[in-house]
Amino acid sequence: MLLLEAGEHLEKIGQAYGQLQEKFWEVGPACAEAFDKLPKELRKEFVSRLPFSRSNYSKWIAIGKAVDDLDDRMREIIPPKLSIAYEFVLLEKPERTRFLEERPIKAPPLRRADIIQWKRKNRGEPVANEASKSVEKRKTSAQADPAVPGRYYGALKPKRLLTSSETEALDKQLEEIAQTFDMEVAFPPIVPAKDTTAKVVTHMRRQINKLIRHTLKVRAEQNPGRKKSISALARELRILPEDDEERMRDSLDEVGLAHEFDRIRSEAHDLYPMEGPGYPAWLDAVDGISPPRAVREEEAEELRRQLARRPDALSRLTADDIRTRTADFR
């Protein structure tokens, strides 16, 4: 009897998922109903027969339990994409209403990134794509005037290159002085580097979409009876231009290829490297004048102490991280 009931739930979910564009809002409730009614001992076998992964099953359940709280306008702005709908239902009920009120009527199609950015801003959390305060100030400050015009109280003119720790310490002390005397710290602009981020992301998106398409094509050939549900999964997992790296990794994970993400990412960065990092303009004036040996040795010793306290930290450092941290005292 229980197996028969499980089969009915599988059929109901499969029919809705096979017509995802038309029956998107039926998949979640069907998953939530199955979760509530089937006993725990059947869940593992039940999930293994679904046309999507265990993690997606959990997301569909969350959507299904929230469907009754979503009004017509909310459903109207959410495209038939699991990642976007799931991100939306993660909002608290008052947040959903406020999100809807603040969204322009003629806004472009909703993206998952829009919800994440709004949520972080609404909750006072740092937005992922915002640069650090000091970098932003350097970018937006007016071009430094060698004569130090009257609107400035004074200026610091480095006589040599500063190590990374010295730069951090100096920035911190400048901020403290500025706060004490109700001033604003102004930095010379950063010399822009050639930013290849867009090319890196485009390459990653193409490679990941290609890999997912091939994997699902093979599955469809091996399981002709599941061709419709596999096609629906392919549409769901497709990486769009606005999708971030987290979304890319999630899509690969859904087809058991999460281990390919780092390889694809490294390949993209190797193909489109940044042509030199950005740096403050004053570095040109002190190029070749290194910090005193004592300062460099002190910084090297501090890095050794940090690695000794956290031996696992080195394993998480990338080649770029190591080059940056050791550039001052080579």
Side-chain angles (χ1 to χ4, degrees), residues 113-130:
D114 297 333
I115 302 172
I116 294 174
Q117 187 171 14
W118 182 91
K119 178 173 64 175
R120 289 174 175 166
K121 183 178 180 181
N122 183 65
R123 297 178 181 179
E125 300 172 356
V127 179
N129 61 356
E130 286 183 351

Side-chain angles (χ1 to χ4, degrees), residues 53-321:
S53 69
R54 177 182 294 274
S55 61
N56 271 6
Y57 180 50
S58 299
K59 293 175 182 178
W60 280 117
I61 292 172
I63 293 171
K65 292 182 180 296
V67 160
D68 290 341
D69 297 321
L70 304 181
D71 59 30
D72 291 341
R73 176 79 196 283
M74 292 178 183
R75 298 190 192 192
E76 182 182 329
I77 67 169
I78 299 173
K81 289 182 66 67
L82 174 62
S83 59
I84 300 176
Y86 177 67
E87 199 67 49
F88 187 81
V89 302
L90 287 180
L91 298 173
E92 301 292 337
K93 291 182 182 179
E95 288 181 317
R96 296 173 197 164
T97 302
R98 192 154 58 249
F99 180 88
L100 197 63
E101 291 172 347
E102 295 180 8
R103 183 171 173 78
I105 296 177
K106 294 186 178 181
L110 183 63
R111 304 175 304 167
R112 176 171 172 267
D114 297 333
I115 302 172
I116 294 174
Q117 187 171 14
W118 182 91
K119 178 173 64 175
R120 289 174 175 166
K121 183 178 180 181
N122 183 65
R123 297 178 181 179
E125 300 172 356
V127 179
N129 61 356
E130 286 183 351
S132 66
K133 291 182 179 180
S134 60
V135 172
E136 281 299 308
K137 287 180 179 177
R138 285 178 170 87
K139 286 182 177 179
T140 57
S141 293
Q143 178 68 41
D145 188 333
V148 189
R151 65 181 177 276
Y152 292 99
Y153 181 83
L156 297 176
K157 184 178 179 180
K159 295 181 179 180
R160 60 169 174 79
L161 287 173
L162 302 176
T163 65
S164 57
S165 60
E166 286 181 314
T167 302
E168 292 175 6
L170 182 57
D171 284 354
K172 183 177 179 181
Q173 291 186 39
L174 285 174
E175 292 287 354
E176 291 174 355
I177 293 172
Q179 290 178 10
T180 300
F181 296 98
D182 193 23
M183 292 183 177
E184 179 183 358
V185 180
F187 297 96
I190 284 181
V191 176
K194 183 178 180 180
D195 190 355
T196 58
T197 302
K199 292 182 178 179
V200 168
V201 173
T202 298
H203 179 83
M204 290 177 64
R205 184 174 71 247
R206 287 174 178 169
Q207 293 303 308
I208 291 173
N209 280 335
K210 181 179 178 180
L211 186 57
I212 291 174
R213 281 197 308 270
H214 174 72
T215 301
L216 294 180
K217 180 181 178 182
V218 172
R219 290 186 186 179
E221 292 172 351
Q222 294 173 343
N223 302 275
R226 296 182 59 190
K227 188 173 182 179
K228 185 176 292 186
S229 61
I230 291 175
S231 296
L233 180 61
R235 291 193 296 271
E236 169 61 31
L237 297 183
R238 183 170 177 268
I239 305 300
L240 302 177
E242 65 269 17
D243 289 335
D244 57 15
E245 289 191 0
E246 181 183 355
R247 163 69 173 159
M248 294 181 189
R249 190 187 293 272
D250 286 347
S251 290
L252 284 171
D253 188 35
E254 290 301 326
V255 292
L257 296 173
H259 61 280
E260 292 283 356
F261 177 82
D262 289 336
R263 177 189 65 78
I264 293 173
R265 189 174 189 274
S266 297
E267 177 185 89
H269 281 283
D270 289 341
L271 284 173
Y272 304 104
M274 293 284 286
E275 295 189 2
Y279 58 91
W282 61 263
L283 284 179
D284 286 333
V286 294
D287 186 31
I289 308 176
S290 300
R293 182 179 181 83
V295 175
R296 287 181 285 143
E297 289 179 349
E298 181 181 346
E299 179 135 316
E301 182 58 32
E302 174 58 27
L303 180 56
R304 293 190 195 99
R305 285 195 294 267
Q306 291 180 18
L307 292 175
R309 288 195 298 269
R310 299 181 60 189
D312 63 318
L314 187 60
S315 64
R316 295 196 298 270
L317 292 176
T318 66
D320 288 338
D321 293 331

